[in-house]
C-alpha cells in the first residue's frame, strides 16, 4: 500500500471552481465514506479549507485509485471530467509525504506560513479517526506532519512574517480600520480571527451577525462587540464602514439589490471583504457607488509573492530535513520484513542442522551440544550481518533497484513469511 494525494487548491484552480468544490462538514464525511467504498482504498481522509480540497488515501494501486478519486471530485464539482481534471494535482508515495509536510507547515498556503492550516490538518486526522477511515499508515503520516508544522512555527518567526488572510485583506481597504464601524458576518474560526484583528486595530464599533445567535453572542462578549441575528443583516450593512463576511453558507447573503436598498442614497465608502467559499457576497456589489469589494481571487494574486524570505527559507529547511528523515525511516522500515524473514530462515536452517547432528551423534553431551549450537549461530549471524546492514543503507539511495526484492530472490525467501512480518509490523512503518 502507498499514500496517494489527489487535490485542487488556489494554486491549481480559479476561485470559481474552488467554490463549486467547497464542502461543509457533512459533505466531507460523505466524501470520506465514498472513498472507503473504493476497491483500491484502504484508508482515507480529506483536508477541506476555503482554498483547497485534498484527498489523502492509502491505496493498493496507483492508476485505478487516481481514476476513482478523480471521479468522486468531478461529481462534487458538477463539472465535466475534461473541465476539472486539468486543475487536479496528484502526489504519490514519497511525493505525498513531501506535499503534506509542506501543507501542514503553511508553505503551500495562500498566505505562506499561516497557522490555520495546522488546525485544519489536525481536523482531517480527527475526522478519519472518528469514522474509522484512518489506519496505521495515515495516522503515522499525519501525526508526523502535525509535528513538522508545530516545529516550523516554534523554531522560526513565520507567524509574524506571514500575515493572516484577514490582515492581508484589511491592508487593502481604503483608509484604516481605526475609528470605523465593522460588521463581521459569521461565527467560525475565520470570523473569530477577523473580530480579534479589527478589535486590535481600533475599530470603534464591532457587530457580529450570525445565523446562530448563541455563537454570535459568545464571540461578541470576548471583544466587547454587539451580536445581531441574521435577520438584522440589512440594518447592519446600512450603518457599516467595513464588512468582513466568512460564513461559507449555501447561497449569497449580500446581494447588489439588497445592499443598495440597505444603504439608500449613501455614497460613503464601504469596504466589503468576502473570505467565504462559496462566496457570501454577490460580485456585482462592487458596481455600487463607494463600495470596494475584496475577494479571495484578488487576494490570491496579491499574496502569491508576499513571502518573508528569511523566515520562509527557515521553514523550508526544517521541512526538507523532516521529509528526508521520515522517508529514510520509512524506506528502512520497508526492508525490515525481508530482513526478519531472512534471519528466521537462517534460524530454521541452524535448528534443522542441529536436529540432524543430534540424530547422528545421539550420545553428544549437553555442554558440547550447546557449544556447537552457539558456534553455528555465530557463524550464521556473521554471514548475515553485512548484507542486512548494507540493504538498510542502500534502500535510501536513488535508483530503481529494490534491494529487499533482490535479497528475497537471492535467498529464496518465502513471500508468505515476508507478508506475515509486514502485517505484524504495519504500525512501525514510517516511524521516525
Amino acid at each position: 500500500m502507498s499514500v496517494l494525494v489527489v487535490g485542487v487548491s488556489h494554486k491549481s484552480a480559479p476561485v470559481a471552481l474552488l467554490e463549486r468544490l467547497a464542502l461543509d462538514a457533512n459533505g466531507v464525511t460523505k466524501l470520506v465514506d465514498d472513498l472507503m467504498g473504493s476497491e483500491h482504498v484502504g484508508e482515507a481522509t480529506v483536508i477541506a479549507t476555503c482554498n483547497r480540497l485534498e484527498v489523502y488515501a492509502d491505496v493498493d494501486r496507483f492508476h485505478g485509485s487516481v481514476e476513482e478519486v478523480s471521479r468522486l471530485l468531478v461529481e462534487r464539482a458538477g463539472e465535466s471530467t475534461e473541465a476539472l481534471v486539468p486543475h487536479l494535482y496528484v502526489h504519490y508515495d514519497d511525493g505525498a509525504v513531501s506535499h503534506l509536510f509542506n501543507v501542514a507547515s503553511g508553505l503551500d498556503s495562500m498566505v505562506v506560513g499561516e497557522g490555520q492550516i495546522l488546525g485544519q490538518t489536525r481536523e482531517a486526522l480527527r475526522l478519519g479517526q472518528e469514522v474509522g477511515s484512518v489506519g496505521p499508515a495515515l495516522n503515522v503520516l499525519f501525526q508526523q506532519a502535525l509535528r513538522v508544522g508545530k516545529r516550523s512555527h516554534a523554531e522560526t518567526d513565520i507567524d509574524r512574517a506571514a500575515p493572516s488572510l484577514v490582515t492581508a485583506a484589511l491592508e487593502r481597504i481604503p483608509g484604516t480600520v481605526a475609528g470605523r464601524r465593522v460588521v463581521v458576518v459569521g461565527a467560525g474560526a475565520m470570523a473569530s480571527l477577523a473580530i480579534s484583528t479589527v478589535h486590535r486595530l481600533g475599530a470603534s464599533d464591532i457587530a457580529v451577525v450570525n445565523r446562530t445567535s448563541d455563537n454570535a453572542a459568545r464571540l461578541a462578549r470576548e471583544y466587547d462587540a454587539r451580536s445581531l441575528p441574521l435577520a438584522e443583516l440589512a440594518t447592519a450593512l446600512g450603518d457599516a464602514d467595513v464588512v468582513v463576511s466568512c460564513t461559507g453558507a449555501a447561497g449569497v447573503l449580500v446581494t447588489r439589490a439588497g445592499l443598495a436598498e440597505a444603504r439608500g442614497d449613501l455614497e460613503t465608502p464601504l469596504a466589503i471583504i468576502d473570505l467565504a467559499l462559496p462566496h457570501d457576497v454577490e460580485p456585482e456589489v462592487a458596481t455600487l457607488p463607494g463600495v470596494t469589494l475584496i475577494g479571495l481571487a484578488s487576494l490570491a494574486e496579491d499574496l502569491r509573492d508576499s513571502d518573508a524570505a528569511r523566515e520562509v527559507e527557515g521553514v523550508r529547511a526544517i521541512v526538507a530535513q523532516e521529509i528526508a528523515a521520515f522517508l529514510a525511516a520509512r524506506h528502512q522500515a520497508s526492508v525490515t520484513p525481508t530482513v526478519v524473514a531472512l534471519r528466521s530462515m537462517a534460524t530454521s536452517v541452524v535448528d534443522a542442522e542441529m536436529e540432524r547432528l543430534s540424530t547422528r551423534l545421539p550420545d553428544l553431551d549437553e555442554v558440547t551440544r550447546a557449544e556447537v549450537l552457539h558456534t553455528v549461530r555465530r557463524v550464521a549471524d556473521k554471514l548475515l550481518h553485512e548484507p542486512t546492514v548494507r540493504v538498510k543503507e542502500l534502500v535510501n539511495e536513488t535508483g530503481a533497484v529494490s534491494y529487499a526484492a533482490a535479497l528475497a530472490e537471492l535467498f529464496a525467501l518465502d513471500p508468505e513469511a515476508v507478508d506475515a512480518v509486514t502485517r505484524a509490523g504495519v504500525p512501525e512503518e514510517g516511524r521516525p
Side-chain angles (χ1 to χ4, degrees), residues 354-373:
M354 289 303 297
E355 283 294 323
R356 286 186 61 202
L357 184 65
S358 295
T359 301
R360 295 179 65 181
L361 300 174
D363 298 329
L364 193 68
D365 64 89
E366 288 301 317
V367 173
T368 303
R369 189 180 190 283
E371 184 63 31
V372 170
L373 176 61

Short mmCIF file of all heavy atoms in Angstrom, two decimals, residues 354-373:
data_model
loop_
_atom_site.label_atom_id
_atom_site.label_comp_id
_atom_site.label_asym_id
_atom_site.label_seq_id
_atom_site.Cartn_x
_atom_site.Cartn_y
_atom_site.Cartn_z
N MET A 354 21.03 -28.78 13.62
CA MET A 354 21.26 -29.27 14.97
C MET A 354 20.45 -30.54 15.24
O MET A 354 20.91 -31.45 15.96
CB MET A 354 20.92 -28.19 16.01
CG MET A 354 21.91 -27.03 16.01
SD MET A 354 23.64 -27.54 16.31
CE MET A 354 23.54 -28.22 17.97
N GLU A 355 19.26 -30.63 14.66
CA GLU A 355 18.46 -31.84 14.79
C GLU A 355 19.17 -33.01 14.10
O GLU A 355 19.21 -34.14 14.62
CB GLU A 355 17.08 -31.63 14.16
CG GLU A 355 16.12 -30.81 15.00
CD GLU A 355 15.75 -31.54 16.29
OE1 GLU A 355 15.61 -32.79 16.26
OE2 GLU A 355 15.66 -30.88 17.34
N ARG A 356 19.73 -32.75 12.91
CA ARG A 356 20.48 -33.79 12.19
C ARG A 356 21.69 -34.26 13.01
O ARG A 356 22.00 -35.45 13.08
CB ARG A 356 20.97 -33.26 10.85
CG ARG A 356 19.88 -33.11 9.80
CD ARG A 356 20.49 -32.72 8.47
NE ARG A 356 21.43 -33.77 8.03
CZ ARG A 356 22.42 -33.58 7.16
NH1 ARG A 356 22.63 -32.35 6.67
NH2 ARG A 356 23.21 -34.57 6.81
N LEU A 357 22.36 -33.27 13.64
CA LEU A 357 23.53 -33.61 14.46
C LEU A 357 23.12 -34.49 15.64
O LEU A 357 23.81 -35.46 15.99
CB LEU A 357 24.21 -32.34 14.95
CG LEU A 357 25.51 -32.52 15.75
CD1 LEU A 357 26.59 -33.14 14.85
CD2 LEU A 357 25.99 -31.19 16.31
N SER A 358 21.99 -34.16 16.25
CA SER A 358 21.51 -34.93 17.40
C SER A 358 21.18 -36.37 16.99
O SER A 358 21.40 -37.32 17.75
CB SER A 358 20.27 -34.28 18.00
OG SER A 358 20.60 -33.01 18.53
N THR A 359 20.66 -36.50 15.75
CA THR A 359 20.32 -37.84 15.25
C THR A 359 21.57 -38.66 14.97
O THR A 359 21.65 -39.86 15.28
CB THR A 359 19.47 -37.72 13.97
OG1 THR A 359 18.29 -36.99 14.26
CG2 THR A 359 19.10 -39.10 13.43
N ARG A 360 22.57 -38.00 14.38
CA ARG A 360 23.81 -38.70 14.02
C ARG A 360 24.71 -38.94 15.23
O ARG A 360 25.48 -39.91 15.25
CB ARG A 360 24.55 -37.89 12.97
CG ARG A 360 23.79 -37.77 11.65
CD ARG A 360 24.54 -36.96 10.64
NE ARG A 360 25.80 -37.62 10.26
CZ ARG A 360 26.67 -37.10 9.40
NH1 ARG A 360 26.43 -35.90 8.86
NH2 ARG A 360 27.78 -37.74 9.09
N LEU A 361 24.67 -38.03 16.19
CA LEU A 361 25.50 -38.17 17.40
C LEU A 361 24.61 -38.14 18.64
O LEU A 361 24.61 -37.16 19.41
CB LEU A 361 26.55 -37.07 17.45
CG LEU A 361 27.55 -36.99 16.28
CD1 LEU A 361 28.41 -35.75 16.42
CD2 LEU A 361 28.41 -38.24 16.24
N PRO A 362 23.83 -39.19 18.86
CA PRO A 362 22.87 -39.18 19.98
C PRO A 362 23.55 -39.12 21.35
O PRO A 362 22.91 -38.71 22.34
CB PRO A 362 22.11 -40.49 19.79
CG PRO A 362 23.03 -41.36 19.00
CD PRO A 362 23.79 -40.44 18.10
N ASP A 363 24.81 -39.51 21.43
CA ASP A 363 25.49 -39.52 22.73
C ASP A 363 26.22 -38.21 23.03
O ASP A 363 26.95 -38.13 24.03
CB ASP A 363 26.48 -40.69 22.78
CG ASP A 363 25.79 -42.03 22.64
OD1 ASP A 363 24.63 -42.12 23.09
OD2 ASP A 363 26.40 -42.95 22.05
N LEU A 364 26.02 -37.21 22.17
CA LEU A 364 26.71 -35.93 22.37
C LEU A 364 26.24 -35.29 23.68
O LEU A 364 25.03 -35.16 23.94
CB LEU A 364 26.40 -34.98 21.20
CG LEU A 364 27.26 -33.72 21.08
CD1 LEU A 364 28.69 -34.09 20.73
CD2 LEU A 364 26.67 -32.81 20.02
N ASP A 365 27.20 -34.94 24.56
CA ASP A 365 26.81 -34.36 25.86
C ASP A 365 26.27 -32.94 25.68
O ASP A 365 26.54 -32.26 24.68
CB ASP A 365 28.00 -34.37 26.82
CG ASP A 365 29.13 -33.49 26.33
OD1 ASP A 365 29.13 -32.29 26.65
OD2 ASP A 365 30.01 -34.01 25.57
N GLU A 366 25.48 -32.50 26.65
CA GLU A 366 24.78 -31.22 26.55
C GLU A 366 25.72 -30.03 26.48
O GLU A 366 25.44 -29.04 25.79
CB GLU A 366 23.82 -31.05 27.74
CG GLU A 366 22.60 -31.94 27.68
CD GLU A 366 21.79 -31.67 26.43
OE1 GLU A 366 21.59 -30.48 26.06
OE2 GLU A 366 21.37 -32.65 25.78
N VAL A 367 26.84 -30.09 27.17
CA VAL A 367 27.79 -28.97 27.16
C VAL A 367 28.37 -28.80 25.75
O VAL A 367 28.42 -27.69 25.21
CB VAL A 367 28.93 -29.19 28.17
CG1 VAL A 367 29.99 -28.11 28.03
CG2 VAL A 367 28.38 -29.21 29.59
N THR A 368 28.77 -29.92 25.14
CA THR A 368 29.34 -29.86 23.79
C THR A 368 28.26 -29.42 22.79
O THR A 368 28.52 -28.61 21.88
CB THR A 368 29.90 -31.22 23.38
OG1 THR A 368 30.87 -31.63 24.34
CG2 THR A 368 30.53 -31.15 21.99
N ARG A 369 27.05 -29.98 22.95
CA ARG A 369 25.96 -29.60 22.05
C ARG A 369 25.67 -28.11 22.11
O ARG A 369 25.47 -27.45 21.09
CB ARG A 369 24.70 -30.40 22.39
CG ARG A 369 23.57 -30.24 21.38
CD ARG A 369 22.35 -31.05 21.79
NE ARG A 369 21.38 -31.08 20.73
CZ ARG A 369 20.56 -30.07 20.41
NH1 ARG A 369 20.63 -28.94 21.09
NH2 ARG A 369 19.70 -30.18 19.43
N ALA A 370 25.65 -27.55 23.32
CA ALA A 370 25.40 -26.12 23.49
C ALA A 370 26.50 -25.28 22.85
O ALA A 370 26.24 -24.24 22.24
CB ALA A 370 25.28 -25.79 24.98
N GLU A 371 27.74 -25.74 22.96
CA GLU A 371 28.85 -25.00 22.37
C GLU A 371 28.78 -25.03 20.84
O GLU A 371 29.03 -24.02 20.17
CB GLU A 371 30.18 -25.61 22.83
CG GLU A 371 31.41 -24.86 22.35
CD GLU A 371 31.47 -23.43 22.88
OE1 GLU A 371 30.97 -23.18 24.01
OE2 GLU A 371 31.99 -22.55 22.17
N VAL A 372 28.41 -26.20 20.29
CA VAL A 372 28.25 -26.30 18.84
C VAL A 372 27.12 -25.37 18.36
O VAL A 372 27.26 -24.66 17.36
CB VAL A 372 27.96 -27.76 18.42
CG1 VAL A 372 27.57 -27.82 16.94
CG2 VAL A 372 29.17 -28.63 18.68
N LEU A 373 25.98 -25.39 19.07
CA LEU A 373 24.84 -24.53 18.70
C LEU A 373 25.24 -23.07 18.72
O LEU A 373 24.91 -22.30 17.80
CB LEU A 373 23.67 -24.79 19.66
CG LEU A 373 22.44 -23.89 19.47
CD1 LEU A 373 21.84 -24.07 18.08
CD2 LEU A 373 21.39 -24.19 20.55
#
